[in-house]
């Protein structure tokens, strides 16, 4: 940590200013320990691409980072309207950070709608860069501005930078044989160049990316690169930007290793491929496209060289049906979806429970119910994952806590599925799926051994001494049944959804057998080996904050703020939600107060109260956005003082 950094935590909403220096012949350069930038514009303005490129260069520079893409569900929302605003927020620092940040220090607003939709999040004193070319009378009236906010004094509390981005871009590209409309499309690259200059971001990667992206249209590639360079040069020469900023690499935030920037969905995809390699099984994905899970289908379809087979089915039911068939055939089988798709897949998940076959069901949660908020985040599928099937159909449930952790969660889900012969629910969400952070690429010898032994011959001796294969004869440790590949001589066996007889797998309606099988399947899930819950409690606190899934970052940031302020609070985070860690009851019993923040109306809190009879306090949010650290810190402080 440099001497300019006030704290390794996210305890302030604004960036911390360090020393200033002015090399001869250049503008002032100010050192910061962190900054939060938000790009905002129409959904057709390329804000997600702009944010992705800025993020990639920031990752290559060595900063710690966290991102929050936020975009409308409509493929092309009405231009210039509030519902059509798309934004990308990036928080990067020279130290360890955990969230995309509570409030942007810099807002880049490409039009009046982007300014109005985001201004409420911007603290006074922050920098606002606006594309003045879009502030026409008609565009402002469309979002309710009766006077221009650039001229009526309403932005006097901010550091306003009016920039005619469209005009400057068109002027920079006048040498190209492009229409004005075609040239205007590169204004996001002009903005990216300007911000890259302001924060000393590398440029080589973006130029290489543009050449690759538009390889078949070299004139378009050259135009975008020219606009990008023009934005950089504008920052260097204009008097309106008198200061640029440096954020040093986060050299002390990461263990030694090779790092790359990764999103949650990409990490999940890589984790699934790694699991199939470690298990020495082909990977099969049966899926139907659905936001925000579709990226996993897209990514896995690129990796046929690793033995990956992807099937884009005609609907959700067909997708999981094909995956379950692949599991029966000896593949590491996966189906990906979101909340509405889980509802459609529920009958086949129950069939997988009955057949006792390994199957990974990945639910990238989003706002509901029904179609709900397709592009917004929520973690309200927990009870559906636990109980959303007819009959007693227990399923293990695990949840990653960060985008990078999705890789490890995929491996863990595969371990449980393959070891215990059961479908496993993995609950990610839109915040993790689309957000990104640095990820240390693991060495191959760090990955778990997931090798599977298929049934090879008879496993049971009858009273008359003959040897037969019983498909439901169980491993005494795991209660898992043998996995027999169809077509193996002598291992023929019956499958289907009707209740099986213990051992033989024959159809059985016997009441006692059904009772035994139901209890045995439950015992198998209850007996899954999961690590004990770790508790971060340096001062023997009286209050515990318990989280799960993507709330990890905001909760941890809030806990850091409270401890910096002298408060005593403990923190624990659940990855395994079914079964719970065996020491969870003992952990809960050590604290006078337990607070559970969730992006739902209290689903984990309901489970905790029911199982452990703990009067857990639920703190909930269902607005389609992740918690803010300051918001949680305030709520936790109130719980401590209550």
């Amino acid at each position: 940590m440099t001497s300019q950094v006030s704290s390794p935590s996210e305890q302030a909403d604004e960036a911390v200013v360090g020393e200033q220096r002015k090399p001869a012949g250049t503008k002032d350069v100010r050192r910061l320990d962190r900054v939060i930038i938000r790009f905002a514009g129409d959904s057709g303005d390329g804000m997600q691409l702009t944010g992705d490129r800025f993020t990639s260069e920031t990752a290559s520079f060595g900063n710690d980072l966290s991102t929050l893409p936020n975009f409308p569900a409509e493929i092309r929302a009405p231009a210039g309207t509030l519902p059509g605003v798309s934004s990308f927020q990036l928080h990067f620092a020279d130290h360890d950070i955990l969230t995309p940040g509570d409030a942007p220090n810099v807002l880049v607003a490409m039009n009046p709608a982007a300014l109005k939709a985001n201004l409420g999040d911007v603290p006074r004193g922050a920098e606002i860069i606006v594309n003045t070319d879009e502030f026409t009378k008609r565009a402002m009236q469309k979002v309710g501005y009766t006077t221009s906010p650039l001229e009526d004094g309403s932005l006097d509390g901010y550091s306003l930078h009016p920039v005619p981005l469209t005009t400057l871009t068109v002027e920079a590209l006048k040498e190209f044989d492009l229409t004005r409309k075609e040239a205007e499309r590169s204004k996001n690259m002009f903005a990216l160049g300007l911000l890259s200059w302001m924060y000393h971001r590398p440029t080589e990667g973006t130029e290489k990316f543009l050449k690759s992206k538009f390889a078949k249209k070299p004139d378009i590639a050259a135009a975008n690169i020219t606009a990008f360079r023009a934005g950089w040069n504008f920052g260097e020469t204009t008097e309106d930007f008198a200061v640029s900023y440096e954020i040093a690499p986060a050299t002390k935030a990461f263990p030694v290793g090779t790092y790359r920037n990764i999103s949650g969905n990409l990490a999940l995809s890589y984790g699934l491929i790694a699991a199939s390699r470690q298990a020495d099984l082909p990977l099969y994905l049966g899926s139907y496209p659905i936001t925000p899970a579709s990226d996993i289908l897209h990514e896995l379809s690129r990796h046929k060289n690793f033995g990956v087979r992807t099937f884009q089915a005609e609907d959700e039911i067909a997708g999981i049906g094909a995956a379950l068939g692949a599991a029966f055939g000896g593949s590491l089988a996966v189906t990906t979806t979101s909340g509405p798709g889980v509802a459609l897949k529920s009958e086949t998940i129950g069939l997988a429970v009955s057949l006792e076959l390994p199957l990974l069901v990945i639910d990238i949660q989003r706002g509901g119910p029904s179609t709900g908020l397709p592009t917004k985040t929520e973690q309200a599928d927990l009870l559906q994952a636990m109980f959303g099937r007819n009959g007693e159909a227990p399923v293990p449930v695990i949840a990653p806590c960060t985008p990078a952790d999705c890789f490890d969660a995929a491996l863990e889900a595969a371990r449980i599925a393959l070891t215990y012969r059961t479908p496993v629910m993995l609950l990610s969400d839109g915040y993790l799926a689309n957000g990104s952070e640095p990820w240390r690429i693991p060495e191959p010898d760090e990955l778990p051994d997931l090798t599977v032994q298929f049934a090879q011959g008879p496993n049971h001796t009858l009273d008359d001494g003959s040897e037969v294969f019983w498909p439901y004869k169980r491993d005494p440790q795991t209660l898992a049944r043998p996995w027999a590949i169809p077509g193996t001589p002598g291992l023929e066996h019956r499958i289907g959804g009707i209740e099986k007889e213990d051992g033989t797998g024959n159809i059985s309606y016997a009441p006692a057998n059904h009772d035994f099988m139901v209890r045995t399947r439950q015992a198998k899930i209850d007996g899954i080996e999961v690590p004990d819950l770790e508790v971060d409690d340096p001062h023997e606190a009286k209050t515990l904050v318990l989280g799960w899934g993507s709330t990890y970052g905001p909760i941890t940031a809030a806990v850091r703020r409270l401890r910096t302020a002298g408060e005593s609070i403990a923190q624990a985070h659940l990855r395994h939600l079914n079964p719970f860690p065996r020491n969870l009851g003992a952990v809960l019993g050590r604290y006078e107060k337990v607070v559970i923040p969730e992006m739902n109306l209290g689903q984990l809190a309901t489970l905790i109260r029911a199982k452990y009879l703990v009067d857990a306090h639920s703190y909930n949010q269902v607005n389609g956005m992740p918690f803010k650290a300051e918001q949680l810190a305030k709520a936790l402080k109130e719980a401590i003082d209550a």
Side-chain angles (χ1 to χ4, degrees):
M1 186 181 298
T2 67
S3 60
Q4 287 76 33
V5 178
S6 65
S7 166
S9 69
E10 299 170 300
Q11 61 192 19
D13 284 335
E14 62 280 346
V16 179
V17 178
E19 65 174 279
Q20 296 186 38
R21 57 187 176 85
K22 186 177 182 180
T26 65
K27 297 183 178 183
D28 286 340
V29 178
R30 184 171 300 171
R31 289 180 178 171
L32 308 177
D33 74 333
R34 66 188 185 94
V35 72
I36 303 165
I37 299 173
R38 184 182 296 179
F39 299 94
D42 265 337
S43 56
D45 283 340
M47 294 297 93
Q48 302 306 316
L49 175 62
T50 305
D52 282 340
R53 289 314 313 158
F54 197 94
T55 299
S56 295
E57 298 295 2
T58 296
S60 69
F61 188 72
N63 295 117
D64 195 10
L65 62 90
S66 181
T67 68
L68 178 63
N70 186 17
F71 42 88
E74 292 81 359
I75 294 174
R76 187 65 174 94
T81 65
L82 294 176
V85 173
S86 174
S87 68
F88 188 105
Q89 184 162 304
L90 167 67
H91 182 191
F92 61 103
D94 66 1
H95 58 272
D96 172 38
I97 58 173
L98 297 154
T99 75
D102 287 359
N105 310 115
V106 182
L107 172 66
V108 180
M110 303 297 280
N111 60 18
L115 177 65
K116 188 162 190 176
N118 291 279
L119 188 60
D121 294 336
V122 182
R124 293 283 174 168
E127 294 190 83
I128 299 178
I129 301 171
V130 295
N131 180 15
T132 55
D133 289 327
E134 296 297 322
F135 279 73
T136 64
K137 183 176 181 180
R138 183 170 181 273
M140 289 187 290
Q141 288 177 342
K142 190 180 290 188
V143 295
Y145 282 128
T146 55
T147 60
S148 172
L150 309 184
E151 301 170 354
D152 63 8
S154 59
L155 299 179
D156 287 350
Y158 305 93
S159 178
L160 180 65
H161 301 281
V163 180
L165 286 172
T166 306
T167 299
L168 290 170
T169 302
V170 172
E171 178 66 20
L173 301 183
K174 63 183 180 181
E175 65 185 79
F176 293 88
D177 186 21
L178 299 173
T179 66
R180 180 178 177 86
K181 187 174 183 180
E182 289 172 334
E184 288 178 358
R185 290 175 182 164
S186 296
K187 63 181 179 290
N188 63 324
M189 288 297 105
F190 190 101
L192 178 59
L194 173 58
L195 269 292
S196 297
W197 171 83
M198 283 183 66
Y199 291 95
H200 294 233
R201 298 298 91 185
T203 60
E204 296 82 1
T206 293
E207 294 193 10
K208 183 178 179 181
F209 167 82
L210 290 171
K211 289 177 182 177
S212 174
K213 181 176 177 64
F214 298 107
K216 296 182 179 179
K217 298 179 179 179
D219 290 345
I220 300 299
N224 277 283
I225 291 171
T226 299
F228 176 64
R229 291 174 177 172
W232 176 282
N233 293 333
F234 177 77
E236 182 70 26
T237 58
T238 183
E239 295 182 0
D240 192 37
F241 293 90
V243 178
S244 64
Y245 304 93
E246 283 186 352
I247 295 90
T251 54
K252 297 183 180 180
F254 308 118
V256 175
T258 302
Y259 286 80
R260 60 156 294 163
N261 184 52
I262 201 165
S263 68
N265 274 352
L266 185 58
L268 260 174
S269 301
Y270 288 175
L272 293 170
I273 295 171
S276 76
R277 303 296 285 184
Q278 293 303 106
D280 195 23
L281 297 174
L283 179 64
Y284 183 94
L285 173 66
S287 182
Y288 179 74
I290 183 172
T291 302
S294 300
D295 286 342
I296 302 173
L297 171 62
H298 301 159
E299 182 61 34
L300 289 180
S301 67
R302 299 187 179 105
H303 297 287
K304 296 180 179 66
N305 57 311
F306 286 114
V308 179
R309 296 185 183 94
T310 54
F311 170 51
Q312 181 174 319
E314 66 269 29
D315 56 40
E316 295 282 4
I317 299 172
I320 190 173
L324 185 56
F328 179 58
S331 293
L332 176 59
V334 185
T335 188
T336 52
T337 189
S338 190
V342 172
L344 292 167
K345 295 178 189 290
S346 61
E347 183 179 5
T348 308
I349 297 172
L351 177 59
V353 171
S354 177
L355 298 182
E356 300 190 46
L357 287 171
L359 173 67
L360 304 186
V361 181
I362 296 176
D363 176 7
I364 313 297
Q365 300 167 97
R366 70 190 205 188
S370 187
T371 308
L373 305 175
T375 60
K376 309 302 181 183
T377 196
E378 204 165 270
Q379 50 177 180
D381 292 348
L382 176 56
L383 295 183
Q384 180 179 217
M386 288 285 292
F387 307 118
R389 294 162 295 284
N390 65 294
E392 295 287 347
V395 169
V397 181
I398 70 171
C401 63
T402 69
D405 186 50
C406 289
F407 178 87
D408 296 319
L411 285 164
E412 176 65 356
R415 177 192 74 85
I416 293 173
L418 296 171
T419 302
Y420 295 91
R421 310 285 197 267
T422 178
V424 176
M425 294 282 294
L426 188 153
L427 298 181
S428 179
D429 59 42
Y431 171 40
L432 296 183
N434 296 317
S436 60
E437 66 177 349
W439 171 59
R440 187 181 72 83
I441 302 172
E443 297 297 328
D445 58 7
E446 296 174 351
L447 302 178
D449 181 5
L450 301 177
T451 305
V452 175
Q453 294 296 324
F454 292 110
Q456 300 297 323
N459 61 358
H460 184 74
T461 302
L462 298 176
D463 292 340
D464 63 5
S466 58
E467 294 185 337
V468 297
F469 175 66
W470 273 15
Y472 281 83
K473 185 168 184 175
R474 302 180 182 281
D475 181 291
Q477 292 295 118
T478 64
L479 298 182
R481 78 175 186 89
W483 194 1
I485 301 300
T488 306
L491 302 189
E492 297 85 0
H493 59 283
R494 182 178 287 108
I495 65 168
I498 299 177
E499 184 62 279
K500 316 295 185 299
E501 183 180 61
D502 177 42
T504 68
N506 295 330
I507 291 174
S508 174
Y509 294 97
N513 177 78
H514 178 60
D515 183 273
F516 178 82
M517 293 295 280
V518 167
R519 295 180 187 276
T520 301
R521 287 189 288 261
Q522 183 66 58
K524 181 173 71 168
I525 304 306
D526 292 341
I528 291 173
E529 288 291 334
V530 303
D532 278 350
L533 181 65
E534 296 182 0
V535 183
D536 176 18
D537 185 4
H539 302 111
E540 296 186 357
K542 295 181 179 180
T543 300
L544 170 72
V545 54
L546 179 68
W548 72 278
S550 65
T551 58
Y552 172 79
I555 289 174
T556 306
V559 167
R560 285 182 180 180
R561 294 187 185 202
L562 289 172
R563 289 177 180 170
T564 300
E567 299 291 341
S568 180
I569 188 168
Q571 178 187 0
H573 204 79
L574 289 167
R575 162 177 279 183
H576 296 87
L577 297 155
N578 191 35
F580 285 131
R582 286 174 173 72
N583 69 331
L584 177 55
V587 167
L588 296 172
R590 297 205 301 262
Y591 296 93
E592 295 180 7
K593 301 173 185 175
V594 177
V595 183
I596 303 179
E598 300 180 76
M599 291 188 295
N600 57 48
L601 294 183
Q603 296 188 16
L604 176 61
T606 296
L607 295 175
I608 293 295
R609 291 189 188 106
K611 186 173 180 65
Y612 299 104
L613 304 181
V614 170
D615 186 19
H617 173 69
S618 195
Y619 182 74
N620 310 115
Q621 173 176 295
V622 282
N623 61 5
M625 298 294 288
F627 284 114
K628 294 181 177 180
E630 183 62 30
Q631 164 197 3
L632 274 183
K634 181 179 179 181
L636 295 175
K637 178 65 166 64
E638 291 174 354
I640 292 171
D641 294 341

